[in-house]
Structures are given as structure tokens and as C-alpha cells.
Amino acid sequence: MISALDVTDDAAGREAFHAVVASAYEGQPRGTTPDRVAVERSLDRDIYRSRQRLFVAFDGDRPVARIVARIAPQLNDARGNPYGLLGFFESARNVDTGRALFQPAIDWLRGHGVGAIVGPMDGDTWHRYRVNIGPFDHPPFPLEPWNPPYYRELWEQAGFGEVESYSSKWIDDVTVLLPRLESGAERAASHGICVRALDRSRLDQELAIVHRLSAEIFRDAFLYSPITLPDFLDMYRGVERFLDPDLVVFATAPDGRDVGFVFAYADPSLPAIHYKTIGVLSDWRKAGTTAALSRHVYRNAVARGLRAGNHALMRDDNRSQALDAGLGVVFRRYVLFGRDA
């Protein structure tokens, strides 16, 4: 029989919480399991320390699923109630496991006055969120959120429906996009916009610029909430190897201010780049800044023989969907789920 326990203040329960991963990810691609150190850092964030509970489902003595219920400190739903967040979800394939685990987490959130509940979300959209719903016939790419294929089923059986959808698109040859970017890049140059490479010798300062720009560019995005610079820098521990000055670049205005950026990175096993994030301050979008950034990164990639590209993890209704000029092919989809408490 499956039973769920609140293990928030239980040291042995915390070990059980982490032990779930082994059974959930058995047979999944290597390197896709959640990193325990990163999870612990996220669980210990001050902003959530008194606003979360950890639950583990047991099949007898064996931990088989986990979830964390959190009360969003800065996000309110349309009725003015705080959002409830369900994150760090992992589970073995068992319908009863999902049912046993979700209900106490939802009950705790309901008892603390939340309105809408969304998940999976490990606290905010800066950290891990969304369910990867496949198809799973292509291997995961670096930094892609991954989970066993049956996770969608478990969330839907717990009464959750889709509230946002996302996709990753593959382009076999990004050189076909370059002519389409020329006029925009020329317009950017006429406005005095330059593109500069990431300076790895001052990495923390460069990441602070990404943090500042992201906070302004994405502040109106669905479920956006701010994050402190120390928390942001924590997220990039261990990711430094992906920060290639040819592929992480900034757009600079005539007065020297950075007004946009691209975060792309090379695939270690394919001649391809993953084009993960592009952001431009609203006052500079009409100046062709996005085109200038895109052209710069694609030119650098092609010069290194990286002709294929992945427009990764884009929200389906975001303007960034147009960056592939309709030539990309969706190879993976992702969903954020929600329901009322």
C-alpha cells in the first residue's frame, strides 16, 4: 500500500527524498537525473525556508515518489491569492503513487490559502520547471529538462491541465537564416548597436549583467518573479563550461550600455548549437537588435562547422517562435500544468 509522509524536518526522510531518484530514472539516459547538490541548494533558499513542505510516498519501506509544496512569496493569481507551487517532483511509474503523493501536498497548500497551483516548478521559472512530454525518440540535449515519459500521465490523473506549452525546434542548416537577418542587423548598426563577446576573465560581472537584463526583459512573462543575484550565480555553478564567448554575446548601445544578450552553447557530440535564450530590452527591439545578435551567433557557429541549430525551450506563444522563419521542425514539447487548490 502506498502512503505519503511529510519529511520536511526528518533527516532520514530527507535521505528518502533523494533516494526516489534512483528508481524514477532507472533506464533513463545518462546524465538526466536531478543533481542532489543543486536540489539541496534550492531547497535551502531563504525565501522558501518557512514556506515549503517536503513529501515522500513510500511503498512499504521503499521511497517511490517525492514532491515539494511551496507558497509563492511574490506571485498572486487573478483573484489575488498566492500561487501554490509543486516542484522537485519525481516518481516511479505507479498511478497510486501519484495519487497518494499529490493529495497531501495540495491539502497543505489549500490550508495555507493558496489559489491556483502550478507545477512542476522548483520555486520559479529561473529554476527547473515543466514536464518534458516528448517525443522521446531523440536523446536529451545538454541542459534540457528531462523526466520519464509517464510524468504527464501522473499530473493529469491528479487533476492538472495544461496552462503553458513550449517546444524545441531543430534546423538542419542555420545558414538559410542568415540572409533573412541582414536587414535587421544593418538597421542595428545604423543605430550604433555593437555586438560584443562574453568576457570570461570577469565572469561574475558578466553574469550580473545577464541577471539585470533578464529581470527587466522578462518581468512581464507569465509567472515571472525576481531572483537575487547570489541565487542567480548559484544556478550557474558547474555551467561555466557552456559559456563560450563566441556563443554568449551582448548587444551594446552607443552609450556603452548592454541592452540585450544571447545564451547559446555548442553540443559536445553533434555539429550543432543550442540557441537557448535571447533577450532585448523593449526600447531596442525595433532597432534590429535581435537580428544583430542572432546573425553574430550563427556566423560564429557556422565558422566552427556548427551548421545545425536547436531553438530550445521556447514558449509556444512567444515572439521568439518566429526566429526560425518557419524552417524549424519541432522535435520535443514541454508542458506546465495547473489547477485550482
Side-chain angles (χ1 to χ4, degrees), residues 68-99:
V68 175
R70 283 177 157 176
I71 304 166
Q74 304 173 75
L75 285 174
N76 293 326
D77 65 15
R79 291 168 293 186
N81 297 314
Y83 268 100
L85 311 175
L86 292 177
F88 305 93
F89 173 79
E90 308 295 348
S91 176
R93 185 167 193 166
N94 185 313
V95 173
D96 292 333
T97 297
R99 289 172 178 164

XYZ file of all heavy atoms in Angstrom, residues 68-99:
245
model
N 7.558 18.706 -3.548
C 7.684 19.808 -2.597
C 6.572 20.808 -2.873
O 6.388 21.250 -4.011
C 9.055 20.507 -2.711
C 9.121 21.727 -1.786
C 10.173 19.519 -2.366
N 5.800 21.116 -1.838
C 4.761 22.143 -1.922
C 5.331 23.456 -1.408
O 5.913 23.498 -0.319
C 3.543 21.731 -1.098
N 5.161 24.525 -2.188
C 5.673 25.834 -1.801
C 4.607 26.898 -2.016
O 3.818 26.817 -2.971
C 6.904 26.205 -2.638
C 8.169 25.491 -2.217
C 9.342 25.846 -3.128
N 10.610 25.615 -2.451
C 11.802 25.750 -3.012
N 11.903 26.130 -4.274
N 12.906 25.530 -2.327
N 4.620 27.880 -1.142
C 3.755 29.045 -1.301
C 4.586 30.143 -1.954
O 5.613 30.559 -1.405
C 3.219 29.529 0.051
C 2.496 28.394 0.780
C 2.282 30.726 -0.127
C 2.239 28.691 2.251
N 4.149 30.591 -3.116
C 4.918 31.622 -3.821
C 4.929 32.910 -3.008
O 3.870 33.405 -2.631
C 4.320 31.871 -5.199
N 6.110 33.462 -2.726
C 6.177 34.663 -1.887
C 5.827 35.946 -2.624
O 5.502 36.951 -1.991
C 7.632 34.686 -1.420
C 8.375 33.969 -2.493
C 7.447 32.928 -3.036
N 5.880 35.932 -3.971
C 5.705 37.176 -4.721
C 4.732 37.064 -5.887
O 4.570 38.022 -6.641
C 7.066 37.645 -5.263
C 8.123 37.813 -4.174
C 9.487 38.098 -4.757
O 9.754 39.199 -5.207
N 10.355 37.097 -4.763
N 4.066 35.925 -6.026
C 3.163 35.722 -7.147
C 1.744 35.500 -6.655
O 1.497 34.616 -5.825
C 3.592 34.497 -7.961
C 4.805 34.627 -8.871
C 5.144 33.266 -9.459
C 4.533 35.634 -9.982
N 0.819 36.276 -7.184
C -0.595 36.105 -6.861
C -1.379 35.780 -8.128
O -1.067 36.287 -9.214
C -1.162 37.371 -6.223
C -0.571 37.649 -4.854
O -0.260 36.715 -4.105
N -0.390 38.911 -4.525
N -2.431 34.964 -7.975
C -3.251 34.613 -9.128
C -4.262 35.717 -9.427
O -4.240 36.788 -8.796
C -3.926 33.253 -8.910
C -4.921 33.256 -7.756
O -5.324 34.348 -7.289
O -5.320 32.163 -7.322
N -5.163 35.475 -10.370
C -6.097 36.505 -10.815
C -7.039 36.959 -9.699
O -7.589 38.061 -9.753
C -6.899 35.987 -12.004
N -7.214 36.131 -8.683
C -8.096 36.502 -7.568
C -7.338 37.102 -6.391
O -7.903 37.358 -5.343
C -8.883 35.265 -7.114
C -9.919 34.796 -8.132
C -10.473 33.430 -7.788
N -9.449 32.398 -7.908
C -9.692 31.094 -7.775
N -10.910 30.672 -7.496
N -8.720 30.214 -7.902
N -6.049 37.295 -6.562
C -5.246 37.909 -5.509
C -4.705 36.949 -4.481
O -4.085 37.378 -3.495
N -4.900 35.656 -4.682
C -4.363 34.658 -3.752
C -2.969 34.233 -4.189
O -2.666 34.204 -5.386
C -5.273 33.422 -3.718
C -6.651 33.738 -3.199
O -6.807 34.420 -2.192
N -7.672 33.259 -3.896
N -2.104 33.879 -3.241
C -0.763 33.435 -3.637
C -0.828 32.140 -4.436
O -1.672 31.266 -4.177
C -0.045 33.227 -2.297
C -1.135 33.040 -1.303
C -2.290 33.858 -1.774
N 0.044 32.035 -5.415
C 0.162 30.783 -6.155
C 0.734 29.700 -5.245
O 1.598 29.961 -4.401
C 1.095 30.955 -7.346
C 0.405 31.342 -8.630
C 0.403 32.662 -9.060
C -0.226 30.390 -9.428
C -0.214 33.031 -10.252
C -0.847 30.743 -10.609
C -0.841 32.056 -11.018
O -1.452 32.413 -12.196
N 0.252 28.494 -5.450
C 0.887 27.320 -4.881
C 1.794 26.694 -5.936
O 1.430 26.633 -7.115
N 2.968 26.265 -5.521
C 3.934 25.673 -6.438
C 4.227 24.244 -6.016
O 4.461 23.976 -4.831
C 5.236 26.479 -6.442
C 5.115 28.001 -6.614
C 6.496 28.641 -6.457
C 4.500 28.362 -7.950
N 4.216 23.341 -6.964
C 4.606 21.961 -6.710
C 5.839 21.663 -7.548
O 5.794 21.748 -8.785
C 3.479 20.996 -7.084
C 2.223 21.070 -6.201
C 1.148 20.122 -6.728
C 2.557 20.733 -4.751
N 6.935 21.356 -6.883
C 8.187 21.148 -7.593
C 8.975 19.966 -7.088
O 8.533 19.241 -6.183
N 10.143 19.770 -7.683
C 11.056 18.679 -7.325
C 10.362 17.327 -7.433
O 10.704 16.370 -6.728
C 11.624 18.884 -5.915
C 12.295 20.214 -5.715
C 11.582 21.305 -5.208
C 13.625 20.391 -6.047
C 12.179 22.536 -5.036
C 14.229 21.631 -5.888
C 13.507 22.706 -5.382
N 9.373 17.261 -8.320
C 8.580 16.046 -8.463
C 9.365 14.958 -9.176
O 9.924 15.174 -10.244
C 7.310 16.349 -9.264
C 6.494 15.123 -9.605
C 5.680 14.548 -8.653
C 6.567 14.565 -10.873
C 4.922 13.414 -8.964
C 5.819 13.434 -11.196
C 5.001 12.852 -10.237
N 9.392 13.781 -8.567
C 9.956 12.591 -9.195
C 9.136 11.399 -8.717
O 8.682 11.369 -7.573
C 11.432 12.378 -8.839
C 12.344 13.575 -9.074
C 12.503 13.983 -10.525
O 12.081 13.200 -11.416
O 13.040 15.074 -10.780
N 8.947 10.417 -9.604
C 8.101 9.291 -9.219
C 8.395 8.065 -10.060
O 8.663 8.168 -11.264
C 6.621 9.670 -9.378
O 5.779 8.568 -9.090
N 8.308 6.906 -9.420
C 8.282 5.657 -10.152
C 6.933 5.551 -10.857
O 5.995 6.288 -10.553
C 8.483 4.476 -9.198
N 6.833 4.646 -11.818
C 5.606 4.551 -12.612
C 4.561 3.744 -11.861
O 4.549 2.519 -11.878
C 5.873 3.921 -13.971
C 4.628 3.933 -14.849
C 4.931 3.607 -16.279
N 3.799 3.927 -17.139
C 3.860 4.005 -18.455
N 5.002 3.792 -19.062
N 2.800 4.305 -19.172
N 3.669 4.448 -11.206
C 2.586 3.814 -10.452
C 1.502 4.859 -10.251
O 1.731 5.888 -9.619
C 3.118 3.299 -9.107
C 2.065 2.534 -8.332
O 0.931 2.982 -8.193
N 2.443 1.378 -7.813
N 0.330 4.623 -10.802
C -0.762 5.586 -10.699
C -1.087 5.868 -9.241
O -1.323 7.015 -8.842
C -2.000 5.065 -11.445
C -3.198 5.992 -11.200
C -1.723 4.973 -12.937
N -1.126 4.836 -8.400
C -1.456 5.027 -6.985
C -0.418 5.890 -6.282
O -0.746 6.654 -5.368
C -1.569 3.670 -6.281
C -2.771 2.872 -6.775
O -3.747 3.510 -7.223
O -2.712 1.636 -6.724
N 0.843 5.780 -6.723
C 1.889 6.611 -6.147
C 1.587 8.079 -6.370
O 1.649 8.897 -5.452
C 3.254 6.268 -6.776
O 3.580 4.916 -6.453
C 4.334 7.188 -6.262
N 1.255 8.422 -7.600
C 0.945 9.808 -7.908
C -0.230 10.323 -7.102
O -0.186 11.418 -6.535
N -1.272 9.540 -7.007
C -2.458 9.969 -6.268
C -2.150 10.155 -4.789
O -2.590 11.119 -4.156
C -3.565 8.926 -6.455
C -4.154 8.908 -7.858
C -5.104 7.750 -8.040
N -5.692 7.760 -9.373
C -6.309 6.710 -9.906
N -6.397 5.577 -9.229
N -6.825 6.795 -11.121
